[in-house]
Amino acid sequence: MNQQAVSPPRYLFSVPLSATRRGARLARLLAAEQVRSWDWPLDPARLLVAELAANAVLHGHVPGRSFRLTLAVVPSGALRVEVTDTRGDRLPVRTPVRDGSPAEGGYGLLLVEELADRWGVVDGPVPCKTVWAELDPSPCR
């Protein structure tokens, strides 16, 4: 069987946070410090973390359970933001746009879709899901 080796990320940061508004705010602050230390532009990474963490707190919260923020600079050079919560049964839904504006509460994923070069959802391990977004390095870096 021919298996291709997976290269580890160049940089990796991962931390569990309380699934509260305070935890979401801390995710944004920690991410800002981390991306700065890796010489990455602060935005849009900070905005992606803020949105994904807020979604984990609002839609992925299970009492007594935390969410996990993971940041990595992967071998391709992209910055990958992952937020894992314990509500794998509640997947993010892309809200259709009608009459030029999304339904109430549907702006967050539109923001993620606009800012990220790629994003998606990975199921598991049960009962979790991970929502991820990637930013390619800018040509100026």
Side-chain angles (χ1 to χ4, degrees):
M1 185 166 155
N2 185 10
Q3 289 187 337
Q4 194 175 30
V6 176
S7 298
R10 292 182 192 172
Y11 299 106
L12 179 66
F13 172 81
S14 187
V15 63
L17 297 160
S18 65
T20 62
R21 288 174 38 187
R22 185 176 185 186
R25 185 173 57 246
L26 185 56
R28 188 185 74 244
L29 294 171
L30 290 170
E33 288 304 312
Q34 198 61 56
V35 298
R36 265 189 229 143
S37 76
W38 294 340
D39 292 326
W40 263 83
L42 188 56
D43 289 319
R46 177 175 49 179
L47 298 170
L48 286 172
V49 169
E51 184 55 40
L52 295 181
N55 283 350
V57 168
L58 292 172
H59 307 295
H61 174 74
V62 173
R65 301 282 178 98
S66 59
F67 72 93
R68 177 168 290 278
L69 169 66
T70 301
L71 304 172
V73 176
V74 297
S76 69
L79 176 68
R80 185 174 175 100
V81 175
E82 296 181 348
V83 174
T84 303
D85 66 52
T86 54
R87 287 298 305 261
D89 59 323
R90 298 183 93 184
L91 298 177
V93 178
R94 291 181 170 118
T95 307
V97 176
R98 294 186 190 121
D99 301 326
S101 61
E104 183 178 336
Y107 289 99
L109 289 178
L110 286 176
L111 180 65
V112 170
E113 199 162 295
E114 185 65 29
L115 294 174
D117 292 299
R118 292 165 297 289
W119 76 277
V121 181
V122 177
D123 292 324
V126 172
C128 300
K129 72 170 175 302
T130 299
V131 182
W132 60 270
E134 287 186 349
L135 295 168
D136 290 332
S138 69
C140 301
R141 294 191 70 227

